[in-house]
Amino acid sequence: MGQETGDKKNLNNVKNFLAVLAGKGGVGKSTVAHGLAQAFHRKGFRVGVLDADIYGPSSSYLLPPDTFPKVKGEKVLPAISGGIKTLSAAHFPRGKRASVVRAPIATQIVSQFIEEVKWGDLDFLLVDFPPGTGDIQISLMQKIFFTGALVVTTPQELALLDVRKSMEMCLQMGVQMAGIVENMSYFSPPGSEEKYPLFGEGGGQKLADEFAVPLLAEIPIHPNPDIFDTLVGKLSLGKNECEIKQEDRYHFSIRWVDGKKSLYRFSDLQSHCPCVKCKEKAPLTHVEGEKIIPVGSYGVQVIFSKGCSKGIYPFSLLRKLG
Ligand SMILES: Nc1ncnc2c1ncn2[C@@H]1O[C@H](COP(=O)(O)OP(=O)(O)OP(=O)(O)O)[C@@H](O)[C@H]1O
């Protein structure tokens, strides 16, 4: 954490970059990113929000600036809203008009927001991703060394389709998912404890189970800001907390973050080898495991006593098999 890795940058003394993404528009990414930023601020952290949604910036509405961005030498100082640093396309003169720019230009603008802005010392910079899994999102993940990603969804099956794509993007780009936040989970009438799940139930949990990441919060319609304080407490960043253990020569186990334990036989696992060459081959028997190598937050590679050891088994696959 906090290191410069390859061409990824951890800039201007920002200790933690946190991606807030969804894949789908309108599920409440910005609401969650800004609610979380305010909760970090309440706890005394130095925090900033980068609104990377060039086409639909909402930061200046959610965090109305007390001071606007200023140019200082070659750098830009971000806007400040109630002690939170923030930068959004909406802070600039064209910001009130529709952003009619091609994707490469939008990507360039987002790069400038990172590289040419003097964010200063921050404990957390939350990056509010635009919807989708295109150039801007890839470029952000290539440029920034994210401590973790928070994935926002709503409960409906239709939302899950797009959200799943951004989770797959995190896996492909090596960005560790800190967890899922299900937004608009239910409605509670004022003064009542009753919960009415207006948009269905279980979507967030379904994704959490599929990708083996924790469901960190179920945010109601018109939430009380306290819920974001609880969310801050639940965030466990930069750690791969599942526990991988070789049980004996033929088996190993994974204890997942949600407490579930899965047991695997090495020969069964090898029969699911994801490498191209293995697809056609008949499975071997009595395969032993010689070494289990964790591959970042993505999965594991197993060195087997015989047969192919080239495949990397993503945690999402292991979770399905376990
Ligand atoms: N829990 C909630 N209760 C009530 N309204 C909400 C909630 N979450 C979000 N909204 C509202 O839904 C709309 C979309 O939310 P928001 O802008 O946060 O979503 P988004 O995913 O960032 O959208 P986009 O990708 O289009 O920027 C906003 O009007 C917001 O106020």
Side-chain angles (χ1 to χ4, degrees), residues 186-199:
Y186 58 90
F187 173 71
S188 287
S192 162
E193 304 263 297
E194 211 63 52
K195 293 180 177 178
Y196 298 95
L198 302 185
F199 303 119

Side-chain angles (χ1 to χ4, degrees), residues 22 24-32 53 56 58 62 128-131 183-184 219-223:
K24 187 163 178 62
V27 296
K29 255 178 303 84
S30 303
T31 303
V32 169
D53 193 350
S58 49
L62 292 162
D128 183 6
F129 270 55
N183 188 30
M184 306 190 213
I219 298 189
I221 291 169
H222 301 311

Side-chain angles (χ1 to χ4, degrees), residues 138 153 178 297 301:
I138 292 170
T153 188
S297 57
Q301 183 177 9

Side-chain angles (χ1 to χ4, degrees), residues 161-195:
L161 294 175
D162 286 340
V163 177
R164 199 175 272 125
K165 286 183 198 153
S166 49
M167 296 179 82
E168 277 157 9
M169 180 171 77
C170 287
L171 291 175
Q172 281 171 27
M173 302 295 295
V175 173
Q176 177 148 358
M177 286 178 276
I180 293 174
V181 173
E182 188 187 83
N183 188 30
M184 306 190 213
S185 291
Y186 58 90
F187 173 71
S188 287
S192 162
E193 304 263 297
E194 211 63 52
K195 293 180 177 178

Side-chain angles (χ1 to χ4, degrees), residues 56-69:
S58 49
S59 191
S60 66
Y61 172 73
L62 292 162
L63 286 176
D66 302 321
T67 59
F68 278 88

